[in-house]
Amino acid sequence: MQVLRLLPALTAFLYLLLSSGAQENPIKPQVWVHPPNPVILSGSSVVMNCSTDCANPTKIGLETRLKTTPEGNGSNWKAWRLSNVTWDNSPLCYVNCPGKKQGSIRAHIVVYEPPKNLELNLEPSQEQSSLPWIPVGQNITLSCHVAGGRPRENLMVVLLRGTQEMSRQPVPKNTLDTVFVKFWVTASREDDEASFSCRAELNLQPRGLMRYQNSSAPLKFYTFALAQEPPVLVIPKLLEAGTKEQVSCEMDELFPVEKANIQLSWGGQRLIQNITRHGDMLRATATVMAAKEEKGDRELTCNVRLGNETKNVSEDLTIYTFPEPRLVVSEPVQEGYRVNLTCKADLTATVMIEGATGDEPDRMSLIVQEKDNGRLFTCQATLKLRGETLHKNSSLNLNVLFPPKLDEKCPGNWTWNEGTEQTLQCIARGNPDPIVKCVPENQQTGMPLGIPKTVTRAYSGTYRCTANNSLGEANKVVSVVVMFQDVDLRPILVGILISMVAVGIVISGGYLYYRQQRIRSYELKKAQEARALQPIKAEAKPCP
Ligand SMILES: *[C@@H]1O[C@H](CO)[C@@H](O)[C@H](O)[C@H]1NC(C)=O
Ligand SMILES: *[C@@H]1O[C@H](CO)[C@@H](O)[C@H](O)[C@H]1NC(C)=O
Ligand SMILES: *[C@@H]1O[C@H](CO)[C@@H](O)[C@H](O)[C@H]1NC(C)=O
Ligand SMILES: *[C@@H]1O[C@H](CO)[C@@H](O)[C@H](O)[C@H]1NC(C)=O
Ligand SMILES: *[C@@H]1O[C@H](CO)[C@@H](O)[C@H](O)[C@H]1NC(C)=O
Ligand SMILES: *[C@@H]1O[C@H](CO)[C@@H](O)[C@H](O)[C@H]1NC(C)=O
Ligand SMILES: *[C@@H]1O[C@H](CO)[C@@H](O)[C@H](O)[C@H]1NC(C)=O
Ligand SMILES: *[C@@H]1O[C@H](CO)[C@@H](O)[C@H](O)[C@H]1NC(C)=O
Ligand SMILES: *[C@@H]1O[C@H](CO)[C@@H](O)[C@H](O)[C@H]1NC(C)=O
Ligand SMILES: *[C@@H]1O[C@H](CO)[C@@H](O)[C@H](O)[C@H]1NC(C)=O
Ligand SMILES: *[C@@H]1O[C@H](CO)[C@@H](O)[C@H](O)[C@H]1NC(C)=O
Ligand SMILES: *[C@@H]1O[C@H](CO)[C@@H](O)[C@H](O)[C@H]1NC(C)=O
């Protein structure tokens, strides 16, 4: 109660205290604004209600640049519709109250806007016509453009590869309506043709609203890796005119190997090639062929392309001609003659006859003998080209002519048994092959050479064998002895005759005795039969 009584005095004291500077309107009226902190969608409208405890306010006003339309009034309140609110705003609500200072209060309108128009791009921006190629390991910048997405403090921008979240970034507050959020990425193999996208997430749940999110269209690019080293060419240095050779080119550590391109070309012309892949390696093989009349260097190039990069390697292939050496033999090649062998080749080649001595390795001179017939002579030509040594050989068998020779292969004595099968052989050596004939010296029937025959004593005798070829003839006398045995048959025949007579006598004597014995027993038998036949006679039946 005492306090209540004291109140007017206290109020007067306070009044004096406050109005010490400004003598009039010592007290401000109470002002409220509703809603005090609205969060509204950008472009929408909001009704702001200013009310006061002033009983008769002379003016209730709202200070704002926003378009306002009166929404209603009362004695101590006034409401306005603020339309098309696109930015955060703090309109001031003020009240003029008679006898009091002006009272005011600010409302804080927060404008939210879901993210939209998202776009993900590679920086620097690429031509749109085809997918860009990015070397693996290169640092790239992906820029995500976001419009809207306010309030910024509730916005997150996420970089996605497929559905995988790669990175997440807040957005600086003091940015304009559109913002570019940058992501730095080191290109990897996994990024090849992957769908990158960015997603903006506006989380207004702390403000009592929902989550908004929006995504960009997918962005794709190719990544590739190409080794620093050039491709490896496997080619011969030399190619003989008129021949073929296999060449190949390979390159390892290509990613993605399926998109790599390899091309072998020769003298500016693309070769028809065979491409094979083994893991990360690409290989092209082709056949190069030089025409017969071709000569000189031709460049072989291997070109590997991947992405926007190219790797080349080139090497020269030298086309050469190297005819075989010729071995020339002087005529005649005949027993006892001197024969000169000479090897001839191209001027650029050095030649050597195998076995040649002295300072003339390209020639040889010898007096040929029978034993040299068939001897092999080889001439080797050597050509040095681009550090490589080439060889070519040519050989020939010496054909030494020599007259016929009759010796061991035509034996001089033949001893045969009559009736046996034998062959008379007489072989002569000689070049060309001699023709051999053996003719009997007397008029006996001859025996053909080399054919098995049953020997009769008529073959006995002396034969003259002649071996004949273009260079001459050789003779040899060959004797044939046929062994036989004649026997005298007269004593044997007499012996046989005597024994036959003796045997005849013995046989006739024996027969006479036998016959006599036989007649006697026959008569006896007949008498017995006659007796036995009589009683059976009546039962006799006619024969069928
Ligand atoms: C404004 O506020 C006053 C006081 O709180 C209230 O009586 C009035 O109905 C409100 N007007 C509107 C349009 O909300
Ligand atoms: C209050 O509202 C009425 C109609 O609702 C209007 O006629 C009047 O002019 C308003 N007063 C003020 C001071 O705006
Ligand atoms: C809303 O305001 C924006 C600028 O802030 C303007 O471009 C647009 O035309 C306005 N819309 C309306 C319906 O007044
Ligand atoms: C996403 O943005 C597009 C414009 O880029 C808009 O048309 C769409 O409505 C937005 N989606 C959501 C869910 O906000
Ligand atoms: C890429 O960026 C990383 C760090 O962001 C750095 O370590 C690397 O050296 C960069 N690589 C290139 C090729 O610039
Ligand atoms: C390519 O090479 C493969 C394997 O070496 C072989 O089987 C195939 O026949 C070749 N093709 C051509 C056209 O040469
Ligand atoms: C290939 O493209 C990348 C970027 O895509 C660029 O940095 C590089 O210089 C290009 N290389 C060549 C050989 O054009
Ligand atoms: C590689 O080959 C291509 C086409 O054949 C040519 O344009 C380029 O200059 C070559 N590069 C080198 C380094 O030889
Ligand atoms: C063989 O060569 C020698 C000299 O080397 C020569 O005197 C001789 O006449 C030649 N003989 C033949 C048959 O060419
Ligand atoms: C040529 O002859 C040499 C020696 O006689 C031999 O080593 C070489 O293999 C031969 N070359 C050819 C291609 O026959
Ligand atoms: C061949 O017969 C002759 C006389 O008939 C004889 O002088 C010579 O020794 C015999 N030779 C052989 C090898 O039997
Ligand atoms: C063999 O030599 C004889 C005598 O020299 C000759 O008459 C005959 O024509 C020669 N036969 C052959 C086949 O050369």
Side-chain angles (χ1 to χ4, degrees):
M1 287 293 130
Q2 286 222 323
V3 175
L4 278 176
R5 250 179 277 132
L6 274 173
L7 202 64
L10 198 69
T11 311
F13 169 75
L14 276 172
Y15 177 82
L16 283 171
L17 201 74
L18 287 166
S19 63
S20 55
Q23 288 293 330
E24 296 160 345
N25 301 335
I27 292 175
K28 278 184 182 179
Q30 190 86 39
V31 181
W32 298 276
V33 65
H34 187 82
N37 297 306
V39 180
I40 61 160
L41 180 66
S42 169
S44 64
S45 61
V46 61
V47 173
M48 302 295 301
N49 186 350
C50 285
S51 52
T52 180
D53 61 349
C54 176
N56 284 301
T58 51
K59 185 169 174 77
I60 300 177
L62 188 69
E63 198 180 273
T64 178
R65 285 188 190 164
L66 292 166
K67 195 184 162 208
T68 55
T69 44
E71 191 71 15
N73 58 45
S75 58
N76 61 342
W77 64 271
K78 193 166 181 181
W80 295 267
R81 178 170 291 273
L82 280 71
S83 51
N84 197 16
V85 184
T86 50
W87 287 100
D88 289 2
N89 230 287
S90 299
L92 181 78
C93 201
Y94 62 91
V95 171
N96 293 340
C97 193
K100 287 189 182 175
K101 278 184 96 179
Q102 187 182 61
S104 67
I105 189 163
R106 272 188 194 278
H108 296 282
I109 305 174
V110 173
V111 172
Y112 77 90
E113 187 182 5
K116 61 181 183 189
N117 300 338
L118 271 87
E119 236 181 70
L120 185 65
N121 284 300
L122 260 175
E123 261 185 19
S125 61
Q126 306 285 319
E127 293 156 33
Q128 294 298 303
S129 54
S130 58
L131 294 193
W133 286 96
I134 314 284
V136 167
Q138 192 176 73
N139 286 342
I140 50 171
T141 308
L142 292 170
S143 165
C144 182
H145 166 269
V146 185
R150 288 178 289 154
R152 295 292 192 227
E153 58 265 40
N154 296 97
L155 185 67
M156 272 285 176
V157 179
V158 181
L159 179 71
L160 298 159
R161 184 175 67 196
T163 54
Q164 184 195 352
E165 193 176 310
M166 306 290 288
S167 171
R168 165 178 288 268
Q169 275 189 39
V171 180
K173 245 182 191 172
N174 49 347
T175 43
L176 297 169
D177 181 40
T178 62
V179 67
F180 290 91
V181 178
K182 292 192 160 96
F183 296 94
W184 286 274
V185 174
T186 302
S188 70
R189 291 184 174 210
E190 291 73 34
D191 298 341
D192 186 41
E193 283 195 80
S195 290
F196 278 90
S197 61
C198 64
R199 184 172 70 205
E201 296 175 355
L202 184 68
N203 186 5
L204 298 179
Q205 279 163 345
R207 295 180 191 266
L209 289 163
M210 54 182 288
R211 278 170 75 104
Y212 295 89
Q213 64 179 42
N214 211 332
S215 295
S216 72
L219 168 74
K220 284 192 183 187
F221 49 84
Y222 297 128
T223 62
F224 70 97
L226 195 62
Q228 280 308 301
E229 297 74 43
V232 178
L233 261 183
V234 182
I235 64 164
K237 279 186 191 164
L238 305 170
L239 177 65
E240 189 172 2
T243 65
K244 294 180 192 172
E245 280 283 0
Q246 177 110 16
V247 296
S248 75
C249 175
E250 62 181 55
M251 188 152 182
D252 209 349
E253 289 170 45
L254 291 169
F255 171 83
V257 70
E258 318 81 53
K259 287 183 192 148
N261 219 301
I262 191 164
Q263 181 66 54
L264 277 165
S265 33
W266 196 33
Q269 271 191 314
R270 289 170 160 223
L271 289 171
I272 296 166
Q273 57 187 13
N274 196 349
I275 298 175
T276 46
R277 270 188 217 127
H278 307 279
D280 270 2
M281 195 256 278
L282 191 63
R283 178 190 288 136
T285 51
T287 304
V288 289
M289 188 175 173
K292 269 220 154 61
E293 60 280 358
E294 227 174 317
K295 211 171 175 182
D297 289 355
R298 259 172 97 176
E299 196 180 52
L300 202 127
T301 304
C302 178
N303 178 272
V304 176
R305 269 181 298 128
L306 182 57
N308 62 352
E309 286 187 36
T310 304
K311 298 265 180 215
N312 295 355
V313 64
S314 294
E315 264 179 49
D316 274 342
L317 215 133
T318 303
I319 301 162
Y320 68 94
T321 50
F322 183 19
E324 275 186 6
R326 290 179 322 275
L327 249 182
V328 180
V329 183
S330 68
E331 295 289 340
V333 187
Q334 198 172 324
E335 191 178 32
Y337 283 74
R338 176 166 290 278
V339 165
N340 292 349
L341 287 134
T342 321
C343 187
K344 292 180 176 166
D346 242 25
L347 283 177
T348 45
T350 58
V351 289
M352 190 195 82
I353 297 175
E354 219 176 287
T357 49
D359 39 36
E360 284 187 318
D362 62 329
R363 54 192 69 228
M364 240 177 136
S365 185
L366 71 158
I367 291 162
V368 290
Q369 305 297 334
E370 184 193 332
K371 65 173 165 51
D372 294 322
N373 188 28
R375 187 170 153 190
L376 184 75
F377 288 90
T378 303
C379 171
Q380 189 183 358
T382 308
L383 186 66
K384 283 209 165 77
L385 261 180
R386 292 185 65 192
E388 292 197 8
T389 308
L390 302 163
H391 293 289
K392 280 219 174 158
N393 294 353
S394 82
S395 321
L396 66 81
N397 290 96
L398 213 54
N399 184 34
V400 180
L401 302 178
F402 60 96
K405 288 170 190 181
L406 284 169
D407 41 35
E408 307 87 51
K409 285 191 167 177
C410 185
N413 289 350
W414 299 85
T415 307
W416 291 331
N417 288 326
E418 190 181 31
T420 57
E421 195 145 281
Q422 300 288 356
T423 307
L424 183 62
Q425 290 281 22
C426 181
I427 296 168
R429 287 181 288 116
N431 189 13
D433 278 345
I435 292 165
V436 186
K437 269 183 191 160
C438 291
V439 177
E441 277 203 320
N442 44 28
Q443 293 311 306
Q444 283 166 304
T445 325
M447 182 182 179
L449 276 174
I451 300 166
K453 280 279 174 187
T454 306
V455 175
T456 68
R457 62 187 69 170
Y459 291 160
S460 286
T462 316
Y463 295 76
R464 174 171 288 276
C465 288
T466 312
N468 223 358
N469 74 6
S470 54
L471 294 186
E473 73 174 74
N475 292 301
K476 188 165 187 178
V477 173
V478 171
S479 62
V480 173
V481 177
V482 177
M483 306 290 283
F484 59 86
Q485 213 159 16
D486 275 343
V487 255
D488 195 356
L489 287 177
R490 271 171 301 176
I492 299 163
L493 286 172
V494 172
I496 290 169
L497 212 65
I498 292 168
S499 4
M500 278 172 76
V501 170
V503 167
I505 292 164
V506 169
I507 288 171
S508 339
Y511 179 72
L512 287 173
Y513 174 74
Y514 170 74
R515 192 178 157 82
Q516 272 177 357
Q517 292 293 310
R518 172 86 186 220
I519 290 168
R520 201 177 300 152
S521 69
Y522 178 73
E523 279 166 358
L524 200 74
K525 200 177 177 187
K526 264 233 163 125
Q528 282 172 348
E529 276 176 2
R531 257 176 275 141
L533 276 171
Q534 274 166 355
I536 306 162
K537 221 174 183 178
E539 293 171 27
K541 283 179 187 168
C543 282

